[in-house]
Amino acid sequence: MSLETAPAEIQLAVDLIALLEANEVPPRLALTALAIVARDFERKLAAEQGTGD
């Protein structure tokens, strides 16, 4: 499977990894920041599902 035919979430993950590595973000910092991002998007998803949108 090539990246072009990979699911959108895989493509996004690869892009995010490349961005973090290109900026030499330390792994622990990246994981901590990604946990914050995940919580934020989980709240947004819950709010969307709660409103029926």
Side-chain angles (χ1 to χ4, degrees):
M1 174 190 319
S2 70
L3 186 56
E4 294 82 25
T5 60
E9 61 272 20
I10 299 297
Q11 293 179 15
L12 179 57
V14 169
D15 287 344
L16 291 171
I17 291 167
L19 178 67
L20 293 168
E21 288 180 349
N23 286 283
E24 298 180 359
V25 176
R28 186 172 306 281
L29 176 59
L31 288 173
T32 302
L34 288 169
I36 294 167
V37 171
R39 286 193 301 270
D40 181 63
F41 276 90
E42 287 167 357
R43 286 186 192 116
K44 289 176 182 176
L45 182 59
E48 284 179 11
Q49 292 173 345
T51 62
D53 290 342

